[in-house]
Amino acid sequence: MPKTMQQATCYAVMESPIGRLSILADVHGIQEIRFPNNTSTLPAEGSASNKFIVQAIDQLNTYFDGNLKKFDLPLSLKGTDFQKDVWGQLQRVGYGATASYKDIASAIGNPKASRAVGMANNKNKIPIVIPCHRIIGSDGSLTGFAGGLDVKRWLLAHENRQSALLLESSEH
């Protein structure tokens, strides 16, 4: 059955402090956020933006401005139940905080699944919104990241800067 325009994936591109992001969505929500280093082909059909992309761009801009701590976007997730459990737990890691793969494995009730959590983290197609950049090694080291370690470092520093500014302003 051919895709109708209503079912097609739409996309838009936005400029951000970490480079050009491509945002893809369908009629259910955001499907993917691609970093500048992602060379995957964008969909040819249904390229017009939709309301979910408009919301995502607005929220991402607000996040990059330091005024959004938690995203509230409809997501169109495609993955296994395990992956979706991991991604759900990633969304519970607070702004400016970090957790290890082991922490996430324990939180989903499978403490020996650190490696599987890492693989699920790697399959997250909606970074920043599902904050996989907040997941680090048990020893505190930065581990692989689809956008590159420089982008991961930038996102963590951005959140820590904003958290420090909030703390500073609340003390005065």
Side-chain angles (χ1 to χ4, degrees), residues 76-129:
S76 183
L77 298 172
K78 291 172 180 53
T80 66
D81 288 343
F82 179 81
Q83 288 170 335
K84 289 176 183 178
D85 286 347
V86 169
W87 300 334
Q89 194 60 45
L90 295 180
Q91 291 176 287
R92 291 182 184 92
V93 178
Y95 184 92
T98 57
S100 69
Y101 297 99
K102 184 177 181 178
D103 295 335
I104 300 299
S106 293
I108 63 169
N110 200 342
K112 295 185 191 268
S114 296
R115 190 174 299 272
V117 164
M119 294 306 296
N121 202 35
N122 178 263
K123 299 292 184 193
N124 172 24
K125 295 210 175 269
I126 311 175
I128 306 171
V129 173

Side-chain angles (χ1 to χ4, degrees), residues 27-146:
V27 297
H28 304 290
I30 301 300
Q31 292 178 308
E32 195 171 344
I33 296 174
R34 294 182 184 172
F35 290 112
N37 64 350
N38 185 326
T39 58
S40 300
T41 305
L42 289 167
E45 60 182 79
S47 60
S49 186
N50 72 16
K51 66 182 179 180
F52 302 127
I53 291 173
V54 172
Q55 290 172 354
I57 290 172
D58 181 53
Q59 288 188 30
L60 284 163
N61 280 324
T62 305
Y63 167 83
F64 287 122
D65 288 344
N67 297 314
L68 181 76
K69 309 298 180 236
K70 187 168 176 62
F71 290 90
D72 181 22
L73 293 168
L75 305 179
S76 183
L77 298 172
K78 291 172 180 53
T80 66
D81 288 343
F82 179 81
Q83 288 170 335
K84 289 176 183 178
D85 286 347
V86 169
W87 300 334
Q89 194 60 45
L90 295 180
Q91 291 176 287
R92 291 182 184 92
V93 178
Y95 184 92
T98 57
S100 69
Y101 297 99
K102 184 177 181 178
D103 295 335
I104 300 299
S106 293
I108 63 169
N110 200 342
K112 295 185 191 268
S114 296
R115 190 174 299 272
V117 164
M119 294 306 296
N121 202 35
N122 178 263
K123 299 292 184 193
N124 172 24
K125 295 210 175 269
I126 311 175
I128 306 171
V129 173
I130 299 176
C132 52
H133 62 279
R134 296 178 188 155
I135 309 308
I136 59 174
S138 293
D139 62 358
S141 63
L142 294 187
T143 55
F145 185 64

Side-chain angles (χ1 to χ4, degrees), residues 3-10 25-27 31 43 45-48 50:
K3 275 186 177 179
T4 65
M5 276 309 267
Q6 214 175 13
Q7 296 171 320
T9 297
C10 302
D26 62 17
V27 297
Q31 292 178 308
E45 60 182 79
S47 60
N50 72 16

